[in-house]
Amino acid sequence: MRNFAAAMTGGLLISLLLATVPVQDTIQAGTVVALKESIPLSQVASPVSSIRPELMRATGTYRPNSLSGMVPGLHIPDYGTSMTSTIYLRGLGSRMENPVLGLYLDGIPILDKNAYDFDWEAVRGVTLLRGPQGTLYGRNSMGGVLAIRTLAPSDGARPNVHLEYGTAQSVRAGASFTTGNHAFSATFRHTDGVFRNAYKQELCDPFNGLSVRWKWEKPLSDRLFASHIFSASLSDEGGFAYGLHAGGADLPVSYNDEAGYRRLFALDGTRLRWRKEKMVVDGTASLQLLLDDMCMDQDYTERSIFTLQQKQNSGAGTLEVLVRKADTKARWQPTGGVFAFFRGNHMHAPVTFKRDGIQTLILDNANAHIPADIGYLSISDEEMPVTSDFDILSWNVALFHQSVYRTGSWLFTAGVRIDYEGAWMGYDCLTLLHYRFIPTMKADKALNVPYTGSIGHSRIEVLPKLSVLYEAAEGLRFFSTLSKGYRSGGFNTQIFSDILQRQTMNATMKDLGVYFDQPTAIVTAEHTEYDPEEAWNMEVGGRWCREHFRAEVSAYWMKVRNRQLTVFLPGQSAGRMMTNSGRGRNVGVETEAEARVKTLTLRAAWSWCRTDDGVPYVPEHTLFAGASYSIDLNGCRLKGDAFLRGAGPFWWNEEHSLQEPFSARLGACITLAFPKWEVYVRGENLTGTESHSFYFKSMEKEFFAAGKPRMLYTGISLNF
């Protein structure tokens, strides 16, 4: 409680400090993109963060991980590839499988976490509702909902072209324009990479990506309005810059096999709004396609132990109908609807054991159980493929209702959602090897080890919400909320290589007539299922909005059940799996404030979070502090931005033997803007702060991924 009180005091001090600044200009309200809310976001009884385009340009925010720290409590480390985008918010999150943050692009939910990390082009606003938003948004929104609004035909924006060049031969080029009922945007990004593979003497994290988007909108009648969006992105990248940590020191990245990730993601969505005198009906439907291919040197060393490929062909469809009252000033504002989705994924995930892996992971284990005077097992294959194919189906149907009732200065909200969710996985695995027992066998013998079957589950989740908001004075509001959220369970496909490894060893020994007193296969397909994670959130907070100033502070207490954690298998194994760890508790404080004094803008965001079981990878503090100042010159404007991002301390493992202290990185941007064009210079991590972005264990070895070094960019933007 002492830490909680100190953190609460710190948050209030930040808000009060900015509140004392005399302000004259108006801060423009953030674009409302959380389209399911029936009331203005300033009256929602949850913390709300809005990031405007000018702040995004100054900080180089064109990917989700750039929001780290800018939103209190949000941490999205940049490591691996765009497939491994991991989101931590309010002490919630894990680096595998389902996210804790729902993502909406122009009102359409993106279902696959592998598609979350994409380049943003022509983004007009970003809004994040923090805290469980299960009642309106359902699954995987237990930490919050991130809503992105892109360029629309109704914006009437002038055509824009921009080009940026920077460190590591980084190039980012894009264009956007509107014409009639259409809006178009496209962006291309390339970088040579910044991390070097010492074994191959080449950069291991190059990136090439192309994204396009088309949006159409038009009133079809006095009552019906339609919009359509098509978005697609294609990327080809390296990655997995993981270096061995030994003797208390980080060694260079050094592995011998191929590693990289390729992805095609496409989204096609239609939204209809039908308005009558007393009600508004919103209908949203989408089709989503994800084709990706990941290859990895899974031992991350110079030895030829084993490699992994994961190739997915995934398709999904979503449908939602939302009904609410047309009179937005009515005392009672009911919102109700139905949501459904279906997703199918065929995954081809072969693991190839190479010569060192066959010896270390199979032969050494098997021969340890055979008396030396009898003989020993030999496998002649230079490579032993373990083919694993999975068909994974998931589906969801939900009914929800939320009512907002206004009386005097009070605003009461009550709602409930009933989610029915199911999943099924079929697995078809096969190992083929040629073995010989020396000296009794004179020739190799072929052995097939199949492993097939299926597993499935279905569950019902009830997600209630109660909140109250009190308007004490104009622009000054206090709120309290009780809500529940959850993120889906699933299946541990990554563990199947370890299951097959043990199955192969057992089958080989059985074929020889050798039986163990105790089975060595301690994990089977039945153990690959894990349950949904649930969180009850109790929160109090306040929000002060004036024309020139906005501040918000909140404190939450969250009870987490079936917390999903990534654990590493013991011994000579590279396997990892998601498991449920029972109950936990998260407690924290979040605050942010923004003020403008003529041409000076100040922004600060800070959070403190404590988990009672010390969840790895979750920072105890996040911090963002920024200042922007501009002056008018003869026919142009000179603008300077400085910003500081910080996060930590982190615990990297469950044993709490590895900790990283809080660290901060300084960035800055100088822009010279003319009426139709502007040029800028931007720097990130100008202090050259060294830190880690990721840690894991593989085969009893520890590995770290380093944070990005100092990066410098210059660019030009043209408005026609």
Side-chain angles (χ1 to χ4, degrees), residues 557-571:
W557 183 91
M558 192 178 297
K559 189 68 173 180
V560 184
R561 180 175 176 269
N562 289 332
R563 192 190 294 275
Q564 295 175 4
L565 290 178
T566 302
V567 297
F568 304 96
L569 296 187

Side-chain angles (χ1 to χ4, degrees), residues 165-171 190-194 203 711:
Y165 178 81
T167 303
Q169 308 294 327
S170 298
V171 176
H190 163 83
T191 181
D192 287 351
V194 297
L203 294 166
M711 308 288 285

